[in-house]
Amino acid sequence: MTNNRNTEVLLAGIDLAWQTTKNPSAVALGKLAGDTLDVTHLEPALYGIENIRSVLAEESLHGIAVDAPLIINNVTGQRPCEKTLSANYHSRFAGCHPSNQTLYPNALSVQLADQLSEIGFQHLGSTDTPWQIECYPHPSIVEIFGLPERHKYKKGTVTERRLGQIRLAMMIKSLATSSALKLSLPGHVLKLLDEPYINDLSGQSLKSNEDGLDALICLYIAGLYQRQADAAVYGDTIDGYIWVPTAQVASFSPGPAHPLKPRPQPINRKHTAPPKVGITEDFRNGTTQSTTIGYINRNQQRVLGTRGKSGTDHRAKAYKLECLNSKCGHLYGANGTDVFLRKCPECQDGRPGIPY
């Protein structure tokens, strides 16, 4: 990592709602000088590109890290960078959702990136001139803090989401003592990271706080990019890319993000009855292509396997499905007989899930 210590630069991190103007975005600004990044401003709920650009209108803004696909050329499926990153982080549950022009025509994220390019912010540009990068918080958090897998704070019950945010806030505050890049947080931002404050949130205020934490992570990623930290670049500036820092800059062990059930005790098969045939704790493939783990149907619903539990259709098994649409990720059960046409109950008005 080089120093770039001679000049103070203004950076931005954006958690962008790139699908619709009805969802808010969050923007964090900070000044990087030497090995310290001072957060100067945080807007956790902005609507539309124009409001985002008004926050970014600072003339001295030098670099921007955006959590959203900035280049989308593929009509269907995943971008090549998403496929490669997902293959690398799949075992750590930090892969990508697909983005394409069919799912997200005229995406606001691409519009913003094009507007930034027109005023001189180059994709993956030199740190000596204005630049912009696409980032992805999940694998970045894994790398920055040396976590074994993705930290969970976006889905689950209100209690689980609060706990996930509290632990992410603890990680962010631990960056204040990083020997690689210190993060300095002003009082009005520290309030958003306080445990009592987060424990009082619900509904849209809880979601907005999540977006604000994401924006702070994006800002920190921008600081690492400006200081030329070790990183991996997935993809390219033609068909899309994602910049992920690979250097661990802080040490933190937050524990599980969600309360977990006690692990079952190992089975001593000499003294216990054998398990029921066809029912195991592990998920496994079905017997058809559309019930194979990893199969993605036409509505972007991915099969995560079956435990052998009976479904609600005649002689059908229940399968666990995951919605791959951006910022959804809903998990639910479906009969193997209708996996191929299932829609998400959460974001596509599909039928309610079944036990799996």
Side-chain angles (χ1 to χ4, degrees), residues 5-79:
R5 295 179 181 275
N6 296 330
T7 306
E8 180 181 85
V9 294
L10 182 64
L11 305 175
I14 305 177
D15 177 51
L16 186 66
W18 47 277
Q19 183 180 359
T20 173
T21 56
K22 295 181 180 180
N23 296 324
S25 299
V27 178
L29 299 178
K31 292 182 179 179
L32 175 66
D35 62 357
T36 301
L37 176 59
D38 286 298
V39 177
T40 59
H41 192 68
L42 177 62
E43 288 284 352
L46 292 170
Y47 290 86
I49 286 183
E50 292 308 315
N51 286 327
I52 294 171
R53 288 198 61 181
S54 67
V55 175
L56 302 179
E58 180 75 38
E59 292 183 3
S60 60
L61 187 63
H62 186 80
I64 306 170
V66 185
D67 175 18
L70 303 183
I71 299 171
I72 308 176
N73 294 326
N74 52 307
V75 177
T76 60
Q78 286 185 299
R79 298 180 298 166

Side-chain angles (χ1 to χ4, degrees), residues 10-12 53 56-66 70 112-126 129-133 241:
L10 182 64
L11 305 175
R53 288 198 61 181
L56 302 179
E58 180 75 38
E59 292 183 3
S60 60
L61 187 63
H62 186 80
I64 306 170
V66 185
L70 303 183
L112 178 62
D114 289 345
Q115 292 173 9
L116 291 173
S117 294
E118 290 175 0
I119 58 176
F121 287 84
Q122 183 178 356
H123 285 286
L124 290 174
S126 165
T129 57
W131 52 263
Q132 62 173 305
I133 60 170
Y241 65 91

Side-chain angles (χ1 to χ4, degrees), residues 96-303:
C96 293
H97 297 308
S99 52
N100 57 62
Q101 294 177 353
T102 301
L103 283 173
Y104 308 109
N106 199 28
L108 296 183
S109 55
V110 176
Q111 294 180 43
L112 178 62
D114 289 345
Q115 292 173 9
L116 291 173
S117 294
E118 290 175 0
I119 58 176
F121 287 84
Q122 183 178 356
H123 285 286
L124 290 174
S126 165
T127 56
D128 295 326
T129 57
W131 52 263
Q132 62 173 305
I133 60 170
E134 177 182 331
C135 65
Y136 186 30
H138 281 316
S140 298
I141 291 170
V142 165
E143 298 291 354
I144 289 171
F145 298 101
L147 303 182
E149 62 182 46
R150 171 173 60 94
H151 175 63
K152 299 177 183 179
Y153 60 102
K154 292 180 176 293
K155 295 296 178 182
T157 65
V158 170
T159 299
E160 290 170 340
R161 291 169 60 199
R162 286 171 179 164
L163 180 59
Q165 285 193 30
I166 288 167
R167 288 175 171 164
L168 179 59
M170 292 170 64
M171 285 189 269
I172 292 173
K173 286 189 283 190
S174 76
L175 294 171
T177 58
S178 171
S179 60
L181 177 60
K182 295 178 177 62
L183 185 68
S184 177
L185 299 165
H188 68 278
V189 173
L190 278 171
K191 173 190 174 183
L192 306 181
L193 279 65
D194 284 344
E195 181 173 348
Y197 174 79
I198 295 174
N199 271 329
D200 283 339
L201 299 176
S202 61
Q204 185 56 50
S205 62
L206 183 62
K207 179 62 172 66
S208 294
N209 204 65
E210 172 196 306
D211 295 341
L213 296 179
D214 280 338
L216 290 174
I217 291 293
C218 292
L219 175 61
Y220 194 79
I221 293 170
L224 293 175
Y225 183 87
Q226 179 64 29
R227 285 175 54 79
Q228 300 177 23
D230 293 336
V233 179
Y234 295 88
D236 54 45
T237 57
I238 298 175
D239 292 317
Y241 65 91
I242 302 172
W243 190 88
V244 179
T246 56
Q248 181 179 344
V249 301
S251 180
F252 192 81
S253 299
H258 292 175
L260 301 178
K261 296 179 180 179
R263 291 179 179 272
Q265 294 299 314
I267 296 175
N268 184 339
R269 299 195 181 277
K270 291 183 179 180
H271 303 289
T272 59
K276 294 181 180 179
V277 175
I279 305 281
T280 66
E281 191 66 25
D282 294 329
F283 288 95
R284 60 182 183 274
N285 291 323
T287 58
T288 65
Q289 180 182 358
S290 63
T291 56
T292 300
I293 293 174
Y295 169 81
I296 302 174
N297 75 8
R298 61 194 181 193
N299 298 313
Q300 298 299 315
Q301 308 301 297
R302 178 165 60 190
V303 174

